[in-house]
Structure formats: structure tokens, C-alpha cells
Amino acid sequence: MNGDHHVILRVVAKALIPIIALFGFYVHFHGEYSPGGGFQAGVILAVSIILYSLIFGIAPTMRAVTPGFARAVAAFGFLLYTGVGVVALIRGGNFLDYDALIRDEPGGHLGQHVGIIVIELGVLFAVAGSMVTIFYAFAGRVSEIRDEDW
Amino acid sequence: MVEFVLERGNYWAIIGLMMIGLYIAFAATNLIKRLVGLGLFQTSIILFYTSLSRISGGTAPILYGKDYKSSYEDKDSHGETAANGAEYAGEAATDAAYGYTNAGLENVYSNPLPHVLMLTAIVVGVATLAVGLAIIVRIREAYGTVESDEIREMDLQVALAEAQDEADELSLASGATRG
Amino acid sequence: MSGYEGSDLFIALLNITLLSILFVIAIAIARLRSLFAIVMLSGIYSLVSATWFVALDAVDVAFTEASVGAGISTALFLGAMLLTSRTAKAEEGITKIVPLLVVIATGAMLVYASIDLPAFGDPNSPANTHVGVEYLERTKPEIAIPNVVTAVLASYRGFDTLGEVGVVFAAGLAVVLLLGFGERSLGATVRQKDREIDTNANPGGEDER
């Protein structure tokens, strides 16, 4: 990764990667109104990190997003999802009963909206963290095929 | 007859794709190519489910127009879920009477349930694919190859050698007792 | 529904085009031996099927397939390929004939079973009349969000999705347990030991790597 032959790729990627990450969050928060949701947003966020590591090398990526952090995010996402269910239990509803989350006037759906956004956030964290962890596990190994052999 | 074929041509094409994937998974000796074949098979099954959920003249299952707006307009008149339930029952009865599926809604939407199931199937598919690839990487490190017939050959050699060793030990032991 | 006669023809043409592209790609994957080409073609297969999902009104599935099937799984395949091999051995003789016979038999049985299936796009098929319609009608008064797929995924079947997230998390853990946390790999340590043995065997020799 020392040549100047990737200069166009690097310049374009530098501009694109933040937009890809931003698009991931857009997909998440618009999941109620348009196609998308936590799964797709998590995958898109993971893709932006994977794209960075493909172009700038695995070592700088692992310094920016450490493998431990990726693992912690995955675990946190799963716990966030379960936590919403437990909070609903504590507030007197069934497990994952979002209507119990927020006491609203009858006919209101604030609990549903909040519940869906939060559990989708849990899905986003879990999927993005798991995918980045999986990618690190593969990319962290020393490859048998050198760059020139392609 | 032509209409019958046209209505089911999609299914047959998808079955063809599925069988190509199955063939790759069976015939390829390279383990990575096998996983690609399994991926093809899985994508074809997802195609099959989604094509079952399509309704001609329908659109994507995202409520629009009057179907969604009215929920804001008569927000004040909400609150009696029992009345809502009765409303559903009445609508279901009219549906049955007219043989028309989306009677409660202004627009026709395709069936959302297969979409949900297939959406999660895709994500779980990539997770299991990652586990499969990790196992293949470990196989490569243990055997030095990812061709299944070579791996089987090596396993056979090892098993034969072990059997030979055991036989030798047995004959040695029996020789010792005899001597 | 009136006004859809023209679009029916258009959708039929779209179906035929996309399905024939899928067939060409699938047969190419079956015949090729270069793993790089196979992996790239499988990514293209996912992308074309995502296009077909849009034509089938399954926009959420299309989005997932495009991002997961064509994005992540291609990257994972390339990462695994880098650690294993670049070409597949050609299958020959008995390994070619027997799977072909099995596949033809299975396909014939499936086609025979498909005769009983409801027609493509039939609004009155059993799958499309009961619970799917129920979800469509109840989402507005009960959840009040427009995307029915998200409503079913996150609210009606929230427990299902929780299990799904658990599977993804467990798969991440399994990969980490199999391959390590992305630190130094087994192969590198083995090669390091080999090099040490080499330098011990001939102490004067310069090692180029």
C-alpha cells in the first residue's frame, strides 16, 4: 500500500465514506416511512468501515474502530433490544409491548414509535458491530495471496 | 394452456435457478465454490417467496394517500379499540362477500409478511455464510487445501495409517506374550 | 384494477429479461473455475435479483439483498478467498454426472409440485388473503406508521426479530472463536517458526523475507 496508483480511489473514497455512513443513519431513521430499517442501516454502516479498510489498509481502520469497540457495540445492540422488552415488562406490559413504554392518551401511538426506533437502533448496533467483527476476523489474518498475484 | 404456462413460468424459472445452485453445491469440489452454490440456492428461494407475495396491480406495502393520512385526521375519534375490532369484523365480512382482498384500504398492496420473513432470512444467511467461510479458512490451515476430494484422501490416509499402527502394536503385543 | 394492462406487458418483459440474465450468470458460475470471477458473479447475481425484487414490489427485500448480498457477502468471500485459494479444480467424470441426475430428478419433482401453486400475482391465493391483509389493515390504527414491513418486523413480530439479532450476534461470536479476534493469525506464527528453524539450520545464510 505504498504506490500512488490508488490516488483517485483514495480521494473519491475520502469524500464518499462519510456520505455512506450518513446514508446509513438516514435509512435507519426513515425506516418507518420508506424502505429500510435497522438491518440495512447496520449493514451500510459496516460497509463504510469495510470500504475504509479496503482502501487505507486494515491497521489504520483497527486504530480508528478497535476490534474491542466493534464487539462491544454488537453486544450493546443486543442488550438494547432486550432492554426495551424488559422495560416494557417493568412498566406493566408484556415483553416487547411498546404501548406500555409511554403512557399516552388512548389512540396515541408514541410508545410504538419510540419502541420501534429504539429496537431498530439495537438492531443497527448489533448488525454493524457483528459485521465489522466478522470482517476484522477475516482481514486480521495474514493472507496467502500477495497483491501482485491478482 | 398458454395462460397456465405464463402464470407459472416464473416458478419454473426460479426452480431452474435453484437447481443450478444445487448442482454447484453438489458437483463442485472446491469448498468456496460450494458456498457460492448454496448462496445461489438461497437467493432463489427468496425469489420464490417474494414472487408468491406479489399481487397484480398492487404496489409496495408502504401505506400512502388516504390509507395513511386518515389516521391523523380522525385522531380524536380514536380510543375505542372494541369498536375498532367490530369494524374489522365487519370489513372482513364484506371482504368475504365481495371476494376482494384489500377492501379496507384504498390502494392495493402486495403481501408484507413474506417480505419480512425473507428480509430476516437474508441477514441470517450472511451470518451463517460468515461462519461457513471461517470454517473453510480453518480447514485450509489444517489441511493446506480446500478441495473436498483431497481432504477426503488425506483423512483416508491418516485413518489407514492409524489402523496400520494399531495392527502393528497388536501383533507386537501378541508376539511378546507368545515369546 | 383498471389501467394496468400496459404495465402488465412491461412487467412480463422485465421478468423475462431479468430472469434470463440470472440464468446466464448462474450457468457462468457453474462453469467457471476462477474463484475471483465466481465471487464477483455471485455479487452481480445478488444485484440483479435485487432489481427483480423491486419489480415484485418487495422494496425492503431488494434493499437488504443489495446491501447484504451484493455488499457484505462479496467482501467476506473475497476475504476468505485471500486466505485460501484462487482457482477451483475442474469437476470431472462421475462427480459431474451423478449430481446432474439428482438435480434433474429434484427439479422435475418441484415442477410437478408447482402445478398446484396459485397463479403468479393472484390476489385471492391463500397466502395473500388471511394474515397479510390483516397486517395491512391493522397497521394504521394500531401502529400508525406507513411502512407495513417495518411495523410487522419491529412490532408485531418483535420477538422474532430479537431472535434474528441473536443469531447474527452468535454468528459474529462463532467467527471470532474460529478465527481469533483479528490479531496475529496462526499462519503468521507458523511461518515465523519456520523462518527461525531455517536460520538456525544455516546460520550464515541471509533470509530475504
Side-chain angles (χ1 to χ4, degrees), chain B residues 49-62 101-102 105 107-119, chain C residues 53 56-61 118 121-137 147-149 152 157:
Chain B
Y49 268 75
T50 4
S51 73
L52 274 182
S53 78
R54 194 186 125 77
I55 291 176
S56 41
T59 181
I62 296 173
T101 51
N102 281 349
L105 301 163
N107 307 298
V108 182
Y109 302 101
S110 60
N111 189 355
L113 189 55
H115 298 182
V116 176
L117 302 179
M118 290 306 108
L119 197 155
Chain C
F53 288 140
L56 291 174
D57 299 329
V59 278
D60 281 275
V61 184
D122 182 8
N124 295 318
S125 69
N128 292 339
T129 41
H130 299 291
V131 65
V133 180
E134 197 78 351
Y135 281 137
L136 281 169
E137 287 172 354
N147 191 348
V148 184
V149 174
V152 177
R157 287 175 178 249

Side-chain angles (χ1 to χ4, degrees), chain B residues 68-148:
Chain B
Y68 181 60
K69 277 214 184 73
S70 57
S71 79
Y72 281 136
E73 282 162 9
D74 50 43
K75 200 166 186 173
D76 305 327
S77 67
H78 264 287
E80 55 275 20
T81 36
N84 275 348
E87 204 178 299
Y88 291 138
E91 277 170 3
T94 44
D95 285 1
Y98 289 99
Y100 178 51
T101 51
N102 281 349
L105 301 163
E106 185 192 29
N107 307 298
V108 182
Y109 302 101
S110 60
N111 189 355
L113 189 55
H115 298 182
V116 176
L117 302 179
M118 290 306 108
L119 197 155
T120 47
I122 293 173
V123 180
V124 168
V126 79
T128 51
L129 173 82
V131 177
L133 286 173
I135 292 172
I136 289 177
V137 168
R138 293 309 297 258
I139 286 173
R140 170 75 166 82
E141 279 169 3
Y143 288 85
T145 178
V146 288
E147 304 287 340
S148 61

Side-chain angles (χ1 to χ4, degrees), chain A residues 71-133:
Chain A
R71 264 175 275 146
V73 163
F76 172 72
F78 189 55
L79 284 178
L80 186 64
Y81 199 138
T82 328
V84 172
V86 173
V87 167
L89 271 183
I90 289 169
R91 292 183 65 85
N94 290 321
F95 189 66
L96 291 174
D97 180 7
Y98 309 136
D99 281 326
L101 287 178
I102 294 171
R103 292 266 171 262
D104 211 359
E105 80 273 18
H109 299 287
L110 196 57
Q112 289 285 350
H113 286 285
V114 171
I116 287 175
I117 282 284
V118 173
I119 67 114
E120 294 260 15
L121 206 61
V123 172
L124 183 149
F125 284 144
V127 170
S130 299
M131 291 301 162
V132 171
T133 305

Side-chain angles (χ1 to χ4, degrees), chain A residues 21 41 61 88 145 148:
Chain A
T61 319
I145 302 170
E148 306 88 68

Side-chain angles (χ1 to χ4, degrees), chain A residues 4 8 11-12 30 41 46 74 79 81 95-96 107 126:
Chain A
D4 297 308
I8 294 176
V11 170
V12 172
H30 272 246
L79 284 178
Y81 199 138
F95 189 66
L96 291 174

